[in-house]
Amino acid sequence: MKFRAKIVDTACLNHFTRVSSMIAKLAKTCTLRISPDKLNFVLSDKVANGGVSMWCELEQEDFFSEFQMEGVSAENNEIYLELTSENLSRALKTAQNARTLKIKLTNKHFPCLTVSIELQLSVSSSSRVVTHDIPVKVIPRKLWKDLQEPTIPDADVSIYLPVLKTMKSVVEKMKNISNHLIIEANLNGELNLKIETELVCVTTHFKDLGNPPLASKNASQDRNSEQMAEVHIDIRKLLQFLAGQQVNPTKATCNIVKDKIVHFDLLHEDVSLQYFIPALS
């Protein structure tokens, strides 16, 4: 197995740093999947057991000026590495004002992602290189089947999300009242965030959000547009997702499978993120 990549564009470097920071906020440990044309950050907790699941995809050509990899074999030309997300994020945070960033899979008594950052010294044209060795665990081929892109269930309702910062502010306040949250939406562009306790019921209404055309067409045949689909979730898991957003998405949708799961789908140019939160049993 071999992997090496290089970033020289400042905008690409800053964008990659923001993505790594987002991943660190969403998952303590994750899997980095390396293929010839994509990088994926994967969190595959068992949703059936109450864990969240994540699939973040980056097109390598949009970030790297150089990219070389050889997988475990010609038939399985991929590499799967388990790493501590914060270690990668912390290493990349030192890349402010960097000339170049190089990432390489190495073996220094144990497998590592070696991150080399060439820093521009402000007082002269000279530079210095800072190197971070991030320990990783190489995941064997037999375990790859558990780390594939999640199957997206057919949603009862799909709806565009409001501004995520606004949504985060609302959820932060609701967290002080309850650990449980009800998300409900319909095909009329209405989304409600609701908490119910023995003492109080609080609902925040969002209107005129719109629904993805294909989702509306598929669901509207047998569903009243005013009818709400709802899911009860752990409010802390939703807040973790909202607090982790470092990339302003150009498109953000919420897909509700009634009483089973809520699936968030975010897209920002060259980065896509899918995040799944299971319903409370």
Side-chain angles (χ1 to χ4, degrees), residues 213-229:
L214 183 60
S216 301
K217 181 179 179 181
N218 292 342
S220 60
Q221 297 175 2
D222 55 3
R223 187 177 188 88
N224 186 320
S225 64
E226 301 290 337
Q227 182 183 356
M228 290 286 181

Side-chain angles (χ1 to χ4, degrees), residues 32 38 41 57 112 130 136 140 149 166 169 175 185 194 196 199 204 214 246 251 260 263:
L32 174 61
K38 291 182 175 67
F41 291 97
E57 186 168 284
C112 290
V130 177
V136 297
E149 184 172 3
T166 302
S169 177
K175 180 177 173 289
K194 182 163 59 176
E196 295 177 341
L199 300 176
T204 299
L214 183 60
Q246 305 289 311
K251 186 187 76 170
K260 292 184 178 179
H263 160 229

Side-chain angles (χ1 to χ4, degrees), residues 27-62:
K28 291 182 179 179
T29 61
C30 71
T31 298
L32 174 61
R33 172 183 177 264
I34 304 168
S35 63
D37 56 347
K38 291 182 175 67
L39 291 184
N40 293 101
F41 291 97
V42 185
L43 174 62
S44 187
D45 286 354
K46 297 298 183 183
V47 171
N49 297 328
V52 298
S53 181
M54 174 190 74
W55 180 268
C56 182
E57 186 168 284
L58 292 70
E59 296 285 346
Q60 63 87 358
E61 64 180 10
D62 293 326

Side-chain angles (χ1 to χ4, degrees), residues 85-262:
S85 308
E86 181 61 30
N87 288 346
L88 178 61
S89 176
R90 191 181 299 118
L92 293 177
K93 283 178 181 177
T94 64
Q96 299 291 334
N97 302 317
R99 283 182 174 177
T100 61
L101 168 73
K102 296 179 181 178
I103 305 176
K104 183 179 180 181
L105 181 60
T106 59
N107 193 342
K108 301 184 177 182
H109 304 296
F110 50 85
C112 290
L113 269 184
T114 296
V115 178
S116 298
I117 301 166
E118 183 183 4
L119 297 173
Q120 173 71 51
L121 299 181
S122 58
V123 294
S124 67
S125 59
S126 60
S127 62
R128 65 185 178 95
V129 176
V130 177
T131 301
H132 302 266
D133 291 319
I134 302 170
V136 297
K137 177 183 177 182
V138 179
I139 299 175
R141 175 71 182 85
K142 63 182 179 181
L143 299 180
W144 290 8
K145 64 181 184 297
D146 297 324
L147 297 165
Q148 301 307 303
E149 184 172 3
T151 301
I152 301 175
D154 292 333
D156 292 292
V157 169
S158 295
I159 190 169
Y160 292 117
L161 287 171
V163 176
L164 295 185
K165 287 184 178 180
T166 302
M167 192 171 171
K168 173 174 172 283
S169 177
V170 169
V171 175
E172 281 179 334
K173 294 178 175 65
M174 288 182 160
K175 180 177 173 289
N176 296 325
I177 303 173
S178 175
N179 289 329
H180 300 163
L181 175 78
I182 300 171
I183 298 181
E184 60 180 16
N186 63 20
L187 294 171
N188 203 30
E190 297 172 334
L191 172 72
N192 298 331
L193 303 178
K194 182 163 59 176
I195 55 174
E196 295 177 341
T197 70
E198 294 179 355
L199 300 176
V200 67
C201 177
V202 179
T203 304
T204 299
H205 303 273
F206 296 94
K207 296 184 178 182
D208 301 320
L209 296 176
N211 303 89
L214 183 60
S216 301
K217 181 179 179 181
N218 292 342
S220 60
Q221 297 175 2
D222 55 3
R223 187 177 188 88
N224 186 320
S225 64
E226 301 290 337
Q227 182 183 356
M228 290 286 181
E230 67 176 41
V231 62
H232 297 234
I233 61 172
D234 186 330
I235 196 170
R236 294 166 297 185
K237 293 177 180 177
L238 176 60
L239 189 58
Q240 182 181 21
F241 164 72
L242 295 171
Q245 297 313 307
Q246 305 289 311
V247 179
N248 293 323
T250 52
K251 186 187 76 170
T253 58
C254 171
N255 308 288
I256 296 175
V257 182
K258 183 180 178 182
D259 298 331
K260 292 184 178 179
I261 197 170
V262 58

